[in-house]
Amino acid sequence: MTIVRRSEGLGFLTPLVGFLLLFLGFPAIINLVYSVSTVTFETLRAPTISGFGNYLTVLADRDFWRATSFSLRFGLLTAIAECLLGLFLAVFLAPLLTKRPVLMAPLMLPLMVAPAMVGLMYRLVLHEFAGPVPYYLFEWFGDSPAFLDINNAFWTLSVVEILQWTPFAFLLFYMAYVAVPNDIREAAALDGASGWNVLWLIELPLMLPTLVIAFFIRFIDGFRVFDNVYALTGSGAGGSTMSLSIYIYQAFFKQGAIGKAVAASVVLFLASLAVLYMLNWLASRRRRS
């Protein structure tokens, strides 16, 4: 009977495994081959294996490390800000949304807009010469900052990213917050616990797995950001707003350095995998303790 059940389980898994091997495994193998090859668009079908020179070229490229620095700073800043704002909104608006759940719809509207469209929209709104925001700031205060120049572009991009994706963190935290049993809150109130103590000592520990997952998702998404940054500023003056994804895009399509671009993407994948492994390790240590 056990053998029959095991064979049935393998039969159910076979289509999924085949799908993963066909649509994920094969492209992954091809990319690994390209990353250690000298290859152009003309030699895609017959790349020449050349060793790990592409990886050495990437690791020795100053633009690669500048893009890595931008992606790390951007991912960390936006993930922290989105999680803090999302948590505040979830706790602050929970009583209102419990009575008026229809209000959740307008709060989710920023998530419905494509990031590239958001980038184009803010590029028009914040344009130094034609944008309405600089115009009215100049009219009202006599001066306006250049939102998209080399000194302010990073902060402008961060604010745009935070405004669009804070609703995502808010939605996760709100669902985790309302899932906390009211019996625990009532018992804490009977024991004389203040609202702050209930939040800090009871609700936040119960919401911690959701907080960690949301932070990880938003950090990875910010770390590999491409579309809204590319639409708003591109790589910026002197590569000041060049993320790793834009670096890979430029190496592949503008420079034609396919091996270099694929090697950089493999490094990006390994870095993301290392972050995931570290978070899993921290989570397992917490469960043991």
Side-chain angles (χ1 to χ4, degrees):
M1 191 68 177
T2 303
I3 297 177
V4 174
R5 290 180 178 177
R6 186 173 300 174
S7 62
E8 290 178 352
L10 291 176
F12 285 120
L13 287 175
T14 300
L16 177 60
V17 174
F19 173 83
L20 292 176
L21 290 176
L22 179 62
F23 290 98
L24 295 178
F26 178 72
I29 294 174
I30 293 297
N31 282 330
L32 288 175
V33 172
Y34 284 160
S35 70
V36 294
S37 304
T38 301
V39 57
T40 62
F41 286 106
E42 291 79 13
T43 60
L44 278 175
R45 297 181 181 178
T48 302
I49 304 296
S50 59
F52 295 96
N54 291 322
Y55 290 96
L56 296 177
T57 300
V58 168
L59 295 177
D61 190 356
R62 184 177 300 176
D63 288 338
F64 171 78
W65 293 110
R66 184 181 300 169
T68 301
S69 174
F70 173 87
S71 295
L72 281 173
R73 291 184 292 118
F74 186 83
L76 285 173
L77 175 63
T78 56
I80 292 172
E82 289 161 13
C83 288
L84 290 177
L85 287 174
L87 180 61
F88 170 77
L89 291 174
V91 175
F92 183 74
L93 296 178
L96 176 62
L97 293 174
T98 302
K99 298 178 181 178
R100 303 281 192 277
V102 70
L103 296 177
M104 181 68 74
L107 292 174
M108 295 296 106
L109 283 178
L111 299 179
M112 306 301 144
V113 185
M117 184 64 67
V118 172
L120 290 173
M121 178 180 68
Y122 278 101
R123 184 173 183 178
L124 293 174
V125 170
L126 300 176
H127 194 278
E128 186 174 358
F129 300 107
V133 172
Y135 171 79
Y136 284 111
L137 287 177
F138 186 82
E139 286 289 319
W140 293 340
F141 304 104
D143 193 13
S144 172
F147 292 99
L148 304 179
D149 72 352
I150 191 171
N151 296 318
N152 300 319
F154 175 81
W155 301 105
T156 301
L157 292 170
S158 299
V159 170
V160 170
E161 180 82 355
I162 292 167
L163 289 176
Q164 182 174 17
W165 292 106
T166 294
F168 173 81
F170 159 72
L171 179 61
L172 293 182
F173 297 157
Y174 172 73
M175 299 306 296
Y177 184 77
V178 298
V180 176
N182 283 326
D183 296 343
I184 300 178
R185 295 189 178 101
E186 293 172 358
L190 289 175
D191 290 337
S194 64
W196 173 255
N197 288 333
V198 172
L199 174 65
W200 185 254
L201 300 176
I202 297 176
E203 293 171 342
L204 286 182
L206 292 175
M207 296 171 61
L208 185 59
T210 304
L211 297 174
V212 173
I213 291 172
F215 176 81
F216 172 72
I217 293 174
R218 292 310 312 145
F219 171 72
I220 290 298
D221 205 28
F223 184 73
R224 61 181 180 83
V225 66
F226 174 80
D227 32 19
N228 54 348
V229 173
Y230 190 78
L232 190 55
T233 61
S235 59
S240 58
T241 60
M242 180 168 58
S243 66
L244 272 175
S245 297
I246 295 177
Y247 174 87
I248 294 170
Y249 169 82
Q250 290 183 343
F252 193 96
F253 289 102
K254 293 189 176 181
Q255 301 173 12
I258 296 177
K260 174 184 174 182
V262 175
S265 66
V266 172
V267 173
L268 175 60
F269 169 75
L270 292 177
S272 302
L273 191 63
V275 174
L276 177 61
Y277 175 80
M278 181 182 68
L279 288 175
N280 285 333
W281 179 74
L282 291 173
S284 64
R285 283 196 61 184
R286 182 177 178 274
R287 283 194 297 268
R288 292 195 201 103
S289 60

